[in-house]
Amino acid sequence: MNMNTSENVLKGTRILVGKPGLDGHDIGAKIIALALRNAGAEVIYTGLRRSPEQIARVAVDEGVNAIGLSILSGSHKELVPDVMERLRAAGLGGVAVFVGGTIPLEDQPYLKEVGVTDIFTADMPLADVVSSIARTLA
Amino acid sequence: MSLEPLNRYALGQKLTQLASADPLTFVQDGAGLDHSGARRVALTGAPGAGKSSLLAQLVGLRSQTGNRLGILAIDPSSPKNGGAILGDRIRMDDLEENDNIYIRSLGSRTAGDGLADNLYEMMNTMDEHHFDEVFVETVGVGQVGYGARELVDTVVLVVIPESGDMVQAMKSGISEMADIIVVNKADLPGARKMLNDINHIASVNPSCSDDNSWVTPVMLVSNKSPDYVAELSRNIDAHQAFIAGQQTGRARKVARARYRLQQVVDQQLAKLISQTSDEFFAAPLNRQVSTILAQLHDFQTIQTGDTS
Ligand SMILES: Nc1nc2c(ncn2[C@@H]2O[C@H](COP(=O)(O)OP(=O)(O)OP(=O)(O)O)[C@@H](O)[C@H]2O)c(=O)[nH]1
Ligand SMILES: [Mg+2]
């Protein structure tokens, strides 16, 4: 997929980049946010240490088309299903959710099982992350 | 206070749809002109002046009445790819738990006046959801735009000490365009001097000599002290009371509808003119005008599918 296609698909889409849990730094989330912005998306960035409840509320209020959760703390197996459940309850069950950060390979099937569309690890090229999201929203 | 609970889901979805919609597809009629709407306040001022931080404090304070309060916070969209980082709400964490407060981030999209595409319709949608007050944070531009002036009741200009935007302020005639001027970050050096300078400039403005007109208050504000924000809040109330005595709600709405019509027609004309070939300009100007106006008519007919 070339950059142009990503750009066209993401133009005008609204993507929430959120950091649930107690992570202390967010450079990775910010870099993803910037890459999505450069591909034409409107990125709503929540800042650090948000609860699943807060992330779901922001997603509802902002009428987002997709959500990216960045988690480094190792609590993904608790945080992700919690966010998913709240999104469903709020009527956003159809919104694609992506997870990035330090997610061990063996946990990925579980996250997919609870409804995550795709999982990004730190070593993945940014262009691949953007095109995966673009493909999903196409 | 509103009776039915806020439908955050419906509002969130509707605003997303409006952000990308073509204004010519809007079918809203003039019925809303007679309904009372939210009080509207805009905060405008240079990038980083502290608009979001101040709005968080102001809305936090005003929410104590139990009113339904909305924030539409606009950040710039890239002219190159249309993308945007919408980060104003990071400063508003404290408001997120409050069920009577709704915060929405908007990209400016193609709007060049510090506002966002279809903001007129978005504000009307806020009225349909029975907000008592709606606050707009404009993109950080040095001057108060005409659009904000038209679409809201009370315009608050936020300036910061030593920002060097005094000449800018003089050029744009700040006290004509702003209803309240705040010198923010009053905890920083130079704030009081800035306040005095602005007061001097404002004193030579003709509107001050007219007894019937609003005299723009100039005041200090800082996020280090809540007292300042309480005073700003009182000034906003005073200005709202002032305009309520000047103009009916309906008159204000008609003025906004007139502004919106002008804006949409301008956009359509700009689109048609940008599509002309070089040869088009060989015709005399009056022919160029009549051709474009005829195209505008045809264009409208095609858009609406109206064949009569
Ligand atoms: N010293 C001081 N700093 C402040 C004050 N208010 C805000 N700031 C800081 O100013 C910076 C910008 O604040 P924002 O509220 O994001 O400013 P803004 O005008 O909304 O910025 P844009 O939306 O990017 O144009 C932040 O680092 C704030 O912490 C204040 O009263 N005093
Ligand atoms: Mg801001």
Side-chain angles (χ1 to χ4, degrees):
Chain A
M1 174 174 283
N2 65 34
M3 275 318 274
N4 242 345
T5 321
S6 299
E7 224 168 87
N8 289 338
V9 173
L10 291 182
K11 186 153 188 175
T13 57
R14 296 174 60 82
I15 303 176
L16 173 66
V17 173
K19 281 200 70 73
L22 300 175
D23 293 355
H25 68 97
D26 62 347
I27 187 68
K30 281 177 174 156
I31 286 172
I32 296 285
L34 215 50
L36 292 170
R37 179 252 189 209
N38 292 341
E42 286 186 348
V43 183
I44 297 111
Y45 180 60
T46 65
L48 284 166
R49 299 197 182 84
R50 315 325 302 275
S51 68
E53 193 179 3
Q54 286 170 322
I55 287 179
R57 165 156 291 188
V58 175
V60 169
D61 284 7
E62 297 284 357
V64 298
N65 308 106
I67 298 170
L69 300 175
S70 161
I71 307 173
L72 309 171
S73 64
S75 312
H76 46 271
K77 283 202 287 193
E78 295 77 47
L79 292 168
V80 173
D82 195 354
V83 171
M84 301 303 291
E85 192 44 51
R86 289 174 194 278
L87 290 175
R88 257 190 298 277
L92 296 185
V95 171
V97 176
F98 301 85
V99 176
T102 44
I103 313 291
L105 213 58
E106 64 265 29
D107 292 346
Q108 298 195 1
Y110 172 68
L111 296 184
K112 294 223 164 145
E113 215 171 278
V114 299
V116 171
T117 299
D118 205 353
I119 294 150
F120 309 126
T121 48
D123 54 357
M124 219 164 144
L126 270 182
D128 292 357
V129 173
V130 172
S131 60
S132 165
I133 295 175
R135 234 184 349 262
T136 304
L137 293 182
Chain B
M1 244 182 281
S2 324
L3 296 173
E4 54 190 290
L6 176 61
N7 188 339
R8 310 182 85 99
Y9 174 81
L11 178 55
Q13 297 296 308
K14 175 74 179 178
L15 293 180
T16 294
Q17 183 223 322
L18 281 177
S20 303
D22 176 348
L24 291 188
T25 62
F26 297 150
V27 291
Q28 198 174 41
D29 61 19
L33 292 177
D34 289 320
H35 295 174
S36 67
R39 294 182 288 278
R40 298 179 177 184
V41 179
L43 261 70
T44 184
K51 300 178 291 295
S52 303
S53 311
L54 181 56
L55 206 42
Q57 275 187 289
L58 182 65
V59 170
L61 178 69
R62 290 175 82 84
S63 71
Q64 289 169 11
T65 56
N67 277 342
R68 182 173 292 177
L69 307 180
I71 297 175
L72 301 177
I74 308 168
D75 270 321
S77 300
S78 159
K80 209 169 125 218
N81 53 43
I85 299 284
L86 307 179
D88 290 321
R89 65 178 308 136
I90 295 177
R91 315 262 178 227
M92 305 178 188
D93 287 12
D94 294 349
L95 307 179
E96 263 167 20
E97 316 258 287
N98 189 322
D99 288 338
N100 286 320
I101 297 175
Y102 176 89
I103 306 171
R104 177 66 178 219
S105 315
L106 302 171
S108 60
R109 306 268 174 131
T110 68
D113 57 358
L115 303 180
D117 286 353
N118 300 334
L119 188 68
Y120 176 86
E121 284 75 18
M122 292 183 184
M123 301 266 261
N124 287 345
T125 300
M126 300 298 277
D127 286 349
E128 286 163 14
H129 285 262
H130 308 293
F131 281 87
D132 297 295
E133 296 183 341
V134 174
F135 297 82
V136 178
E137 177 181 339
T138 75
V139 174
V141 285
Q143 304 181 358
V144 178
Y146 187 64
R149 183 66 283 171
E150 288 295 308
L151 288 186
V152 310
D153 312 311
T154 302
V155 175
V156 179
L157 176 66
V158 182
V159 297
I160 44 176
E162 317 277 16
S163 56
D165 53 12
M166 285 307 293
V167 175
Q168 208 98 57
M170 290 165 70
K171 281 197 282 192
S172 63
I174 47 173
S175 49
E176 294 162 21
M177 292 304 264
D179 302 308
I180 299 169
I181 299 173
V182 300
V183 179
N184 197 13
K185 310 194 186 184
D187 51 292
L188 298 181
R192 192 155 291 278
K193 179 175 183 302
M194 181 85 174
L195 180 83
N196 291 337
D197 286 354
I198 293 175
N199 271 322
H200 270 128
I201 289 173
S203 69
V204 297
N205 191 290
S207 76
C208 294
S209 56
D210 179 349
D211 281 347
N212 288 327
S213 71
W214 171 256
V215 178
T216 302
V218 187
M219 52 174 299
L220 296 173
V221 163
S222 164
N223 66 0
K224 309 287 185 282
S225 158
D227 296 347
Y228 290 121
V229 178
E231 189 192 341
L232 171 59
S233 185
R234 283 193 295 276
N235 277 328
I236 289 171
D237 288 337
H239 184 258
Q240 290 281 336
F242 169 79
I243 48 169
Q246 295 290 104
Q247 204 183 20
T248 64
R250 185 180 166 88
R252 227 171 304 144
K253 287 187 166 191
V254 168
R256 284 172 190 158
R258 180 172 287 124
Y259 168 74
R260 179 56 172 157
L261 172 62
Q262 170 92 52
Q263 198 182 33
V264 172
V265 171
D266 284 351
Q267 282 167 2
Q268 298 306 324
L269 285 173
K271 205 182 286 174
L272 289 171
I273 291 169
S274 73
Q275 287 163 1
T276 50
S277 65
D278 292 359
E279 291 73 51
F280 183 82
F281 297 95
L285 186 59
N286 61 357
R287 271 290 302 286
Q288 294 174 27
V289 172
S290 55
T291 308
I292 290 287
L293 290 180
Q295 283 177 4
L296 185 68
H297 177 264
D298 294 345
F299 183 62
Q300 174 63 27
T301 308
I302 293 161
Q303 284 276 329
T304 59
D306 176 6
T307 50
S308 63

